[in-house]
């Protein structure tokens, strides 16, 4: 039993960490097995707002953190998330106009980099924080994508790297409830796609953030624009 517990606590995983609510919760939830957290600067409106939170939490937990630039995505990909705050639609996260925020194959690109790093470091797993609320809008967050990428990662690496997606069947509210159990201060996370000085309170990610915190019974600590 002791040997089994020791195995379960091994640092065997790379986490893709944005600095948002979901991946920050995953960081704390699985901190015992995370060897490295990786953020990607790909030119989104809010990269500069969320990555400092990723760095903050990793310092606090003593987990190595690196940021990898993917600036080619801003130059060559089309998405309102890459073209300026004024292009970000407002309303519910499930509204059809939120499809403009899709960065094509973003997770696939980030996961590919993380899998290569995992193989290079002799680590067996890569973890991402996609959840059930993402499925309607983002194809590379859906269960069939996770399953397909997991198979590709295993087939394409000598050590058979696996993709873990522990929250794929959860709502954001359920993730927030888990964060409450873990004692996470969600004021130290960022969601707003507009990336201003404060959360706008109107874009899909802000609306989803409000709803998730309310569902989890958490007093919203977010500073919103007037």
């Amino acid at each position: 039993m002791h040997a089994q517990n020791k195995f379960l606590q091994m640092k065997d995983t790379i986490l893709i960490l944005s600095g948002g609510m979901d991946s920050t919760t995953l960081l704390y939830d699985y901190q015992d097995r995370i060897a490295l957290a990786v953020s990607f600067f790909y030119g989104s409106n809010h990269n500069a707002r969320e990555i400092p939170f990723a760095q903050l939490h990793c310092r606090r937990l003593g987990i190595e953190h690196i940021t990898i630039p993917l600036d080619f995505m801003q130059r060559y990909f089309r998405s309102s998330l890459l073209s300026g705050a004024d292009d970000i639609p407002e309303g519910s996260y499930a509204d059809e106009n939120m499809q403009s925020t899709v960065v094509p194959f973003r997770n696939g690109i980030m996961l590919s980099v993380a899998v290569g790093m995992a193989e290079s470091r002799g680590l067996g797993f890569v973890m991402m924080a996609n959840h059930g609320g993402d499925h309607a809008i983002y194809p590379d967050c859906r269960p069939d994508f996770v399953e397909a990428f997991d198979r590709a990662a295993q087939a394409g690496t000598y050590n058979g790297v696996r993709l873990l997606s522990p929250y794929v069947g959860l709502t954001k509210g359920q993730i927030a409830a888990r964060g409450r159990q873990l004692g996470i201060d969600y004021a130290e996370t960022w969601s707003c796609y507009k990336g201003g000085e404060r959360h706008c309170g109107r874009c899909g990610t802000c609306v989803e953030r409000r709803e998730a915190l309310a569902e989890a019974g958490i007093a919203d600590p977010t500073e919103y624009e007037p």
Side-chain angles (χ1 to χ4, degrees), residues 91-178:
S92 171
Y93 199 55
D95 290 347
E96 187 174 345
N97 64 354
M98 283 298 291
Q99 291 183 13
S100 75
T101 66
V102 172
V103 179
F105 209 59
R106 174 181 58 179
N107 283 341
I109 292 166
M110 295 177 180
L111 287 168
S112 295
V113 174
V115 166
M117 293 185 66
E119 183 175 18
S120 297
R121 291 185 174 220
L123 301 172
F125 301 91
V126 168
M127 189 179 291
M128 65 184 295
N130 58 316
H131 61 82
D134 295 328
H135 298 172
I137 303 297
Y138 301 109
D140 57 358
C141 288
R142 296 170 185 164
D144 56 348
F145 169 81
V146 172
E147 294 166 6
F149 198 96
D150 177 47
R151 292 195 299 269
Q154 289 182 75
T157 53
Y158 277 111
N159 61 332
V161 175
R162 300 293 307 269
L163 172 59
L164 302 177
S165 181
Y167 294 165
V168 68
L170 301 183
T171 67
K172 198 179 189 77
Q174 290 172 320
I175 295 171
R178 177 59 180 154

Side-chain angles (χ1 to χ4, degrees), residues 11-157:
K11 300 277 189 177
D12 58 3
T13 301
I14 291 179
L15 170 66
I16 296 179
L17 178 65
S18 69
M21 288 179 61
D22 310 319
S23 62
T24 299
T25 306
L26 201 56
L27 176 74
Y28 281 85
D29 208 357
Y30 288 84
Q31 60 184 285
D32 289 340
R33 67 181 299 176
I34 296 171
L36 172 68
V38 180
S39 301
F40 293 94
F41 195 97
Y42 57 97
S44 75
N45 302 323
H46 64 309
N47 264 167
R49 301 294 296 166
E50 61 183 357
I51 290 177
F53 285 123
Q55 296 167 332
L56 168 75
H57 291 292
C58 286
R59 284 196 305 269
R60 184 174 293 162
L61 296 176
I63 293 172
E64 182 184 358
H65 175 269
I66 61 174
T67 301
I68 296 176
L70 297 175
D71 53 307
F72 68 88
M73 296 174 73
Q74 186 178 30
R75 293 201 304 271
Y76 301 122
F77 291 14
R78 291 187 177 181
S79 169
S80 62
L81 197 59
L82 305 175
S83 59
D86 291 342
D87 291 336
I88 297 295
E90 298 179 355
S92 171
Y93 199 55
D95 290 347
E96 187 174 345
N97 64 354
M98 283 298 291
Q99 291 183 13
S100 75
T101 66
V102 172
V103 179
F105 209 59
R106 174 181 58 179
N107 283 341
I109 292 166
M110 295 177 180
L111 287 168
S112 295
V113 174
V115 166
M117 293 185 66
E119 183 175 18
S120 297
R121 291 185 174 220
L123 301 172
F125 301 91
V126 168
M127 189 179 291
M128 65 184 295
N130 58 316
H131 61 82
D134 295 328
H135 298 172
I137 303 297
Y138 301 109
D140 57 358
C141 288
R142 296 170 185 164
D144 56 348
F145 169 81
V146 172
E147 294 166 6
F149 198 96
D150 177 47
R151 292 195 299 269
Q154 289 182 75
T157 53

Side-chain angles (χ1 to χ4, degrees), residues 4-16:
Q4 183 181 14
N5 289 339
K6 183 178 179 181
F7 175 77
L8 291 173
Q9 306 247 341
M10 288 175 60
K11 300 277 189 177
D12 58 3
T13 301
I14 291 179
L15 170 66
I16 296 179

